[in-house]
């Protein structure tokens, strides 16, 4: 049956039979997209589809344990989907959220983050609904200068300045524009962000392997670049962490439970036992320009890595100074938290002063930052540092090389 005819039948049938027909329409559309070499077809064919009357939109991406599923609400479907073009637009929209990792990056997003996520992906969608959020509408109606084809995080920063005004908030609420899908189900439940990142990355890698170069040639350049960024060989940052941890000297204590190696024939002499506890200190940039979503993902990955290591992890927020009173010890990958405690300027010197004053030279140091700080610092000879920059950041501002530098989207 023609998909448009099937959608007409859905609108005319009783609610008892709608779920089956809607599932059929979704499947036929995805299969057709697959046959035409469309990205959304290759991607969404791998997702389970679940009926859910509790979502506040026609479709939503939802985490069920560590699996991403495509949910749909039959009541909303009948109201919003009037043609195959409507259906295609919604499915393409969901696929673009996945490509840009929004179900990981936005854990229970607020209004600004949701609008930013939608306008970033709607630039690539054909047959957009008339009430969808777009850059053009926001720019025209509210006189906001929004660049095209940028990451959603950049739109978040631009929209924050505008929507902070109460009048603008009210205007947007009354504008008639709507989000195309319910983003609150991006919220990650009971599974670390790292596990979900690997799930989506493997889904995208599988999609790319099946599409082939001919079909990818039809995609916008920005979409191809994002696919390559995720699909290309990742930096294995475990080697950096293991290297940093290996530089931490073990403390030693005397014990009669160990032979004295120099005089092993003398049983009364104690030997030396090495402590196996190693410490990692993590400094998190609070300057405001680095994304909370990337930080949550990366810190979750760190905790997952260190579950297998005898390490002590302490996280310190910093901006122009170290906020020692807000530091906390990581005890479980399920209990990772990150809350911005300040939004001042960035001082890397404050980190090295803190390490020097607190005598923390025998620790491995990881610094999450956007790279925008001073050019010259005194590191007091301390080089056991891993700098982790957000992918959209420029190079680290410091002139001399101190430790190693990687970017969050290159983490494996």
């Amino acid at each position: 049956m023609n998909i448009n005819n099937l959608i007409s039948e859905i609108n005319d049938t009783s609610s008892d039979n709608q779920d089956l027909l809607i599932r059929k329409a979704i499947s036929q559309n995805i299969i057709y997209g697959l046959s035409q070499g469309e990205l959304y077809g290759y991607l969404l064919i791998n997702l389970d589809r679940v009926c859910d009357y509790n979502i506040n939109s026609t479709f939503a991406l939802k985490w069920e344990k560590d699996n991403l599923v495509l949910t749909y609400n039959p009541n909303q479907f009948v109201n919003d989907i009037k043609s195959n073009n409507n259906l295609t637009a919604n499915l393409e929209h969901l696929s673009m959220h996945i490509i840009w990792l929004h179900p990981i990056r936005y854990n229970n997003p607020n209004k600004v983050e949701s609008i930013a996520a939608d306008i970033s992906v709607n630039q690539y969608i054909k047959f957009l609904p008339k009430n969808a959020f777009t850059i053009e509408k926001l720019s025209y109606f509210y006189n906001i200068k929004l660049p095209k084809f940028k990451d959603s995080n950049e739109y978040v920063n631009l929209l924050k300045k505008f929507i902070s005004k109460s009048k603008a908030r009210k205007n947007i609420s009354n504008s008639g524009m709507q989000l195309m899908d319910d983003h609150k189900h991006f919220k990650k439940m009971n599974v670390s962000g790292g596990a979900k990142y690997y799930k989506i990355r493997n889904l995208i890698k599988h999609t790319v392997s099946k599409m082939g170069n001919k079909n990818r040639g039809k995609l916008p350049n920005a979409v191809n670049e994002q696919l390559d960024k995720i699909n290309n060989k990742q930096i294995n940052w475990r080697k950096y962490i293991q290297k940093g941890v290996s530089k931490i000297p073990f403390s030693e204590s005397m014990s009669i439970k160990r032979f004295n190696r120099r005089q092993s024939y003398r049983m009364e002499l104690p030997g030396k036992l090495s402590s196996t506890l190693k410490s990692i200190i993590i400094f998190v940039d609070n300057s405001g320009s680095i994304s909370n979503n990337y930080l949550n993902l990366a810190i979750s990955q760190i905790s997952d890595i260190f579950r297998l290591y005898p390490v002590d992890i302490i996280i310190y927020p910093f901006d122009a100074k170290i906020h020692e009173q807000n530091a906390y010890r990581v005890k479980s990958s399920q209990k990772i938290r990150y809350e911005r405690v300040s939004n001042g300027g960035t001082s890397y010197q404050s980190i090295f002063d803190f390490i020097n004053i607190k005598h923390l030279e025998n620790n491995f140091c990881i610094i999450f930052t956007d790279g925008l700080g001073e050019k010259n610092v005194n590191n007091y000879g301390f080089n056991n540092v891993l700098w982790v920059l957000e992918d959209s950041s420029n190079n680290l501002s410091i002139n001399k090389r101190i430790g190693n530098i990687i970017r969050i989207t290159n983490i494996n």
Side-chain angles (χ1 to χ4, degrees), residues 142-344:
Y142 305 109
N143 197 28
I144 318 173
K145 292 183 179 180
L146 296 173
K148 291 188 175 182
F149 304 111
K150 297 296 182 181
D151 183 77
S152 58
N153 189 51
E154 186 166 337
Y155 294 130
V156 168
N157 292 328
L158 291 169
L159 289 172
K160 272 182 181 176
K161 301 173 185 177
F162 171 76
I163 297 182
S164 62
K165 302 173 184 176
S166 59
K167 185 177 180 181
R169 263 199 315 271
K170 184 177 179 181
N171 286 343
I172 282 187
S173 298
N174 298 331
S175 67
M177 288 184 280
Q178 296 180 2
L179 300 173
M180 287 185 65
D181 56 322
D182 187 351
H183 297 167
K184 71 173 179 287
H185 299 287
F186 289 171
K187 188 175 179 67
K188 300 180 281 289
M189 305 295 290
N190 302 323
V191 180
S192 71
K196 287 180 167 61
Y197 171 74
Y198 295 132
K199 179 70 70 171
I200 286 189
R201 194 190 73 187
N202 290 336
L203 171 64
I204 292 173
K205 290 179 74 172
H206 176 75
T207 298
V208 170
S209 69
K210 295 295 183 181
M211 279 195 73
N213 292 331
K214 181 179 178 180
N215 290 324
R216 285 195 60 186
K218 299 184 292 185
L219 298 174
N221 289 337
V223 175
N224 269 319
E225 288 173 5
Q226 177 67 6
L227 291 173
D228 287 339
K229 187 185 296 183
I230 298 170
N231 194 49
N232 284 347
K233 185 177 180 180
Q234 309 288 304
I235 293 173
N236 186 347
W237 76 332
R238 290 170 180 79
K239 71 178 181 180
Y240 290 100
I241 295 171
Q242 290 167 348
K243 182 179 179 181
V245 170
S246 70
K247 293 179 180 179
I248 302 174
F250 290 130
S251 60
E252 294 180 328
S253 59
M254 306 304 292
S255 174
I256 60 172
K257 294 181 180 181
R258 179 68 58 87
F259 289 130
N260 187 306
R261 292 189 178 185
R262 293 191 176 184
Q263 301 184 60
S264 57
Y265 56 89
R266 296 188 59 184
M267 303 293 290
E268 76 278 10
L269 295 179
K272 293 181 178 180
L273 284 176
S274 295
S275 170
T276 57
L277 180 63
K278 300 179 180 183
S279 296
I280 288 84
I281 48 176
I282 300 176
F283 294 93
V284 179
D285 191 343
N286 271 227
S287 63
S289 53
I290 187 166
S291 152
N292 287 4
N293 307 292
Y294 274 120
L295 288 170
N296 279 313
L297 170 60
I299 293 172
S300 295
Q301 290 176 328
I302 286 176
S303 189
D304 285 344
I305 290 169
F306 285 132
R307 279 187 302 122
L308 303 177
Y309 293 85
V311 294
D312 191 32
I313 307 173
I314 304 175
I315 298 180
Y316 295 94
F318 82 97
D319 46 27
K321 64 179 182 179
I322 306 301
H323 296 274
E324 188 175 5
Q325 72 277 14
N326 298 107
Y328 71 97
R329 182 171 272 101
V330 177
K331 296 181 179 179
S332 166
S333 62
Q334 300 299 324
K335 296 179 180 179
I336 289 292
R337 62 181 172 84
Y338 173 73
E339 296 178 1
R340 200 178 293 278
V341 299
S342 181
N343 283 288

Side-chain angles (χ1 to χ4, degrees), residues 5-17:
N5 293 337
L6 185 55
I7 291 172
S8 297
E9 184 178 344
I10 291 168
N11 283 273
D12 295 335
T13 195
S14 65
S15 58
D16 293 338
N17 298 321

